Amino acid sequence: ADGAALYTAKGCSACHGADAKTPIMPAYPKLAGQNAQYALNQMKDIKSGARNNGQTAAMKGIVMGISDEELQAIAEWLAAQ
Amino acid sequence: ADGAALYTAKGCSACHGADAKTPIMPAYPKLAGQNAQYALNQMKDIKSGARNNGQTAAMKGIVMGISDEELQAIAEWLAAQ
C-alpha cells in the first residue's frame, strides 16, 4: 500500500496537514518523523477504543475505515517525513 | 519553571532521549517539535488516567510527581526543540 497516497485519500491530511507537521489545531499532533511503531500503535488504539482521550473521537471514524495494513503503510510514510 | 531542566530532572530524558527525539524504544514517541498544547494535553491525560493505552503505565508514575505548571514548561520546551 502507498502510505503517501493513503495519508491524503483517507483524510489524515485534512487535520494533520499535507506535510503531516502543520496540524489545523494546536491540540492536534504533528506526525512527521514520528516513530512508525508508536504512530501505528496509536492509530490502532484509537481504532479499538483503547485510546479515547482528547480529540480522538474526531479521528475514530476515520481510522475505522482503514485496514491495519494500510495503517502500517501510513505509519511508515510518516516516519520517513 | 525551566522546561529543559525539568525534562531531565523529572526523568523524561531517560525514555525519550536527552534531545527528546531518540526514544529508547520504537514504541515510545519522539517529542521534539511537538505542538505544546497537544503534548501538555497528553501528559495531563496520562496523569489523570484519561489516557492509559500502550506504554503509558510506565509514564504515569513520573507525571504524577510533576505539577501542571511544570508540565506546561516541559511542553513548551519540547515544542521549541
Side-chain angles (χ1 to χ4, degrees):
Chain A
D2 177 343
L6 286 165
Y7 177 81
T8 304
K10 296 291 186 179
C12 314
S13 54
C15 294
H16 295 286
D19 59 3
K21 55 186 176 190
T22 47
I24 58 170
M25 286 174 57
Y28 289 172
K30 297 179 184 182
L31 303 175
Q34 185 55 270
N35 269 340
Q37 185 62 60
Y38 174 78
L40 179 59
N41 290 350
Q42 300 316 302
M43 290 189 278
K44 284 184 172 179
D45 285 352
I46 290 169
K47 190 173 171 180
S48 73
R51 179 175 169 187
N52 57 10
N53 69 307
Q55 310 292 320
T56 54
M59 188 170 152
K60 184 166 184 172
I62 290 181
V63 287
M64 295 299 271
I66 306 176
S67 73
D68 285 359
E69 292 70 30
E70 290 174 323
L71 292 178
Q72 172 89 33
I74 292 169
E76 284 167 7
W77 178 76
L78 290 173
Q81 300 317 294
Chain B
D2 176 343
L6 285 165
Y7 176 81
T8 304
K10 296 290 187 179
C12 315
S13 53
C15 294
H16 295 286
D19 59 3
K21 56 186 175 189
T22 46
I24 58 170
M25 285 173 57
Y28 290 174
K30 296 178 183 181
L31 304 174
Q34 186 54 270
N35 269 340
Q37 186 63 60
Y38 174 78
L40 179 59
N41 289 351
Q42 300 317 302
M43 289 189 278
K44 284 183 171 179
D45 284 353
I46 291 169
K47 189 173 169 180
S48 71
R51 178 174 170 188
N52 57 9
N53 70 306
Q55 310 293 320
T56 53
M59 188 170 151
K60 184 164 184 172
I62 289 181
V63 288
M64 295 299 271
I66 307 176
S67 73
D68 285 358
E69 291 70 28
E70 291 174 322
L71 291 176
Q72 172 90 32
I74 291 170
E76 284 166 8
W77 178 76
L78 289 173
Q81 300 316 295

